[in-house]
Amino acid sequence: MTEGMGREDAVRARVVDQGLRGLLRRATSDAHHRLDSGWAGHDLQERGAYVGFLAAMAAALVPLEADLAASPPEALPPDWPARRRTDAIRSDLAALGHPAPPAPAMSRAQPPAEVAGLLYVLEGSRLGGQMLLRQALASPDATVRDNTRFLRQGEGQRLWPSFAAWLETRPASDAAGAVAGALRAFSLFENAQSARA
């Protein structure tokens, strides 16, 4: 830490040097690697593995999206409704004969500074989903191939570039909160993944 700087000031200084996206990428790289590694041995062409993947994703995604929806609109990207994937993952799970997680009993608005970090993880999972989509579409099981709404959601909408542009409009004072939000989101996904292993 730079001498004479508090933790929050040091984080803000790194945002100026790296941009918020770069800071989030570095702060979450270990968690990101653990999550990716946890799915490495799963063959999403196989129905059971695919359903397990969707169920684990839904266990984290549904409550996160509910909490984000309860957050102040000014803390979210203007196209937030187009980014939501809860309905898509619920539809896939229902078509595959698996119950979707219920809506959370109570959603809680997220601190505005944490919203950017939560969204960073959710939008990053959409990017990673493109590789997984190719695997699911190569399945010999038509029920897997026909139920990829979650992995396809937002196709052709250039959601990552518009999110990255929005992310860089966040104030440097939100940096520590954004990192905390991203790490919390990764933790929810890791816990859901471990419960399905």
Side-chain angles (χ1 to χ4, degrees):
M1 188 180 306
T2 306
E3 190 174 335
M5 275 191 178
R7 183 173 186 269
E8 300 254 337
D9 291 334
V11 170
R12 277 191 217 115
R14 285 196 299 273
V15 170
V16 171
D17 290 343
Q18 305 170 9
L20 185 54
R21 184 173 157 198
L23 177 66
L24 286 167
R25 183 174 46 246
R26 286 171 186 78
T28 62
S29 64
D30 288 344
H32 194 171
H33 177 72
R34 283 192 308 271
L35 194 62
D36 284 351
S37 296
W39 291 120
H42 292 73
D43 179 5
L44 299 191
Q45 293 183 31
E46 193 274 313
R47 181 177 175 151
Y50 183 61
V51 170
F53 162 76
L54 289 177
M57 291 298 287
L61 180 126
V62 170
L64 280 173
E65 285 196 350
D67 285 350
L68 284 167
S71 298
E74 63 274 11
L76 296 160
D79 61 352
W80 160 243
R83 295 176 180 279
R84 295 186 70 177
R85 294 181 285 167
T86 291
D87 289 344
I89 202 163
R90 281 190 166 142
S91 294
D92 285 340
L93 284 167
L96 290 159
H98 192 282
M106 191 165 85
S107 302
R108 62 183 184 94
Q110 299 304 296
E114 290 188 20
V115 166
L118 296 171
L119 284 167
Y120 172 80
V121 176
L122 290 176
E123 291 302 314
S125 76
R126 183 193 311 277
L127 275 182
Q130 295 310 300
M131 288 192 315
L132 301 177
L133 175 61
R134 287 192 289 276
Q135 198 177 129
L137 291 175
S139 174
D141 187 335
T143 59
V144 170
R145 295 193 309 270
D146 294 344
N147 293 291
T148 56
R149 287 172 283 269
F150 168 68
L151 293 173
R152 290 177 184 269
Q153 198 279 338
E155 270 185 330
Q157 294 182 45
R158 298 185 43 78
L159 291 175
W160 178 258
S162 64
F163 169 72
W166 174 84
L167 187 63
E168 294 309 325
T169 69
R170 302 297 87 204
S173 59
D174 283 1
V179 169
L183 291 172
R184 186 167 67 81
F186 268 115
S187 177
L188 284 172
F189 278 106
E190 285 186 77
N191 289 341
Q193 183 186 66
S194 295
R196 303 300 299 180

